[in-house]
Amino acid sequence: MAANGHGGEVQKHGHGHGQPSLISTLLRLFAGLKNLGIAGYFLEAVLELMHTSKRAHHKLHILNKPWVHLAAILMVLTGHLAEHVHQEEENQHQEARIAALEASVAQLKAVKKSQ
């Protein structure tokens, strides 16, 4: 357990009283879509298979629609954007944690110097 009594995690304080804001909730939901890009790549692979295999073209002809191609592209783009948002969120958490650790190290050095 850390010196602040919270297991080493940085605790946010503010006017929300522990409730996340609407923007942070929406960003968290959007970051959860990061795996959507993988599904988009899979759909693109299936669409390419339809172009190279006559059998796949006949069995999967229902997918040979312009909106399916557009959906695959949008899934990949959304997945990339969501991964970027998720990475930024992780970076902010790491920066806050590093700042808290640097502050505690500075405090320990000050206590050690005074002894």
Side-chain angles (χ1 to χ4, degrees):
M1 208 174 206
N4 61 2
H6 295 290
E9 297 176 12
V10 176
Q11 300 294 319
K12 292 185 178 181
H13 300 286
H15 299 289
H17 302 289
Q19 296 176 355
S21 69
L22 177 64
I23 292 177
S24 67
T25 302
L26 290 176
L27 284 175
R28 189 172 304 271
L29 287 173
F30 185 70
L33 297 175
K34 63 185 178 181
N35 294 328
L36 190 64
I38 296 169
Y41 280 124
F42 177 75
L43 186 56
E44 281 185 351
V46 168
L47 293 171
E48 285 298 317
L49 177 66
M50 288 173 46
H51 291 297
T52 58
S53 169
K54 194 172 198 176
R55 185 183 304 165
H57 181 75
H58 287 295
K59 289 187 183 219
L60 301 171
H61 71 278
I62 195 157
L63 294 178
N64 199 15
K65 307 261 190 283
W67 66 268
V68 176
H69 293 269
L70 182 62
I73 293 167
L74 289 175
M75 288 167 72
V76 170
L77 289 175
T78 303
H80 281 295
L81 289 174
E83 179 60 35
H84 178 71
V85 168
H86 177 72
Q87 190 67 34
E88 286 294 321
E89 184 180 328
E90 284 184 347
N91 288 345
Q92 289 176 357
H93 287 297
Q94 288 295 331
E95 289 172 1
R97 187 164 186 258
I98 289 171
L101 288 172
E102 286 175 346
S104 65
V105 166
Q107 185 181 17
L108 288 174
K109 283 183 179 179
V111 168
K112 194 171 188 177
K113 275 187 177 180
S114 67
Q115 289 179 354

